[in-house]
Amino acid sequence: MKKNILFILVTWMFMQACYEDKGHYSYIEPNEITMDMGFVGDLQTYVGEEFYFRPKKVSWSRPQDSTDFKFWWEENNVVSAEGTPVVVCTGLELAFIPRESGRKTYTLCAQDTTTGLITSWVVPVNAQAVYENGWLVLTENNGKSELSLIRPEY
């Protein structure tokens, strides 16, 4: 008998909890964003030279709401003194001047301002020293010696 009373009491408590549950049933369909970065592997740049990169193609599930997005680029594994990620630049285009050689990754963050959802993509960038790869050519120009650097991409 005690088990039956306990069962009825517990059932009644659960029913009360469900009855008072107002819930949050207004689901908002997110405006999904997709990007084609347009490259395979690492992007290449040189120390001290300004670097630009923009995704090849950006598309939304609801293009009419594409103005509701905010974009910024963060440098991975780097935080400010306050402990927040370092923002390299804002907008869809990554633009910065590398100060040291090596491989770093940058994250493009896209936030839907209506829902607060953030989508991100990682872009690896390999910065080389200008004189790290190429040929030095010694020539004569009007009786004076000239030293020139020829890099492979030129």
Side-chain angles (χ1 to χ4, degrees):
M1 183 70 172
K2 288 183 182 180
K3 288 183 182 179
N4 290 341
I5 293 174
L6 184 61
F7 177 74
I8 292 171
L9 183 61
V10 169
T11 306
W12 180 78
M13 287 172 46
F14 280 119
M15 289 176 64
Q16 287 289 36
C18 292
Y19 178 75
E20 293 181 16
D21 179 25
K22 303 295 184 216
H24 187 317
Y25 303 106
S26 58
Y27 176 72
I28 298 171
E29 182 77 28
N31 187 5
E32 294 185 19
I33 183 170
T34 56
M35 294 218 189
D36 177 9
M37 291 299 182
F39 69 92
V40 176
D42 292 2
L43 297 172
Q44 300 294 322
T45 188
Y46 290 96
V47 175
E49 293 182 3
E50 193 151 17
F51 174 75
Y52 295 101
F53 171 74
R54 185 177 179 91
K56 184 177 179 181
K57 183 179 178 188
V58 181
S59 58
W60 290 266
S61 57
R62 290 192 315 270
Q64 69 274 15
D65 295 335
S66 62
T67 57
D68 294 334
F69 277 82
K70 173 171 89 168
F71 299 96
W72 69 93
W73 290 86
E74 295 177 356
E75 185 175 349
N76 293 350
N77 302 323
V78 178
V79 292
S80 66
E82 295 82 31
T84 59
V86 172
V87 175
V88 177
C89 60
T90 57
L92 262 175
E93 185 175 84
L94 173 61
F96 70 102
I97 299 174
R99 300 288 178 215
E100 58 187 31
S101 63
R103 183 180 189 271
K104 292 187 177 187
T105 55
Y106 298 87
T107 300
L108 170 60
C109 301
Q111 181 179 29
D112 186 347
T113 56
T114 58
T115 62
L117 292 175
I118 298 176
T119 309
S120 62
W121 297 265
V122 175
V123 174
V125 177
N126 187 26
Q128 298 179 23
V130 176
Y131 304 107
E132 194 171 313
N133 195 5
W135 300 271
L136 280 175
V137 179
L138 180 63
T139 59
E140 181 184 333
N141 186 6
N142 294 330
K144 293 186 177 180
S145 297
E146 270 188 2
L147 194 58
S148 303
L149 173 69
I150 300 173
R151 293 192 288 204
E153 67 270 13
Y154 297 114

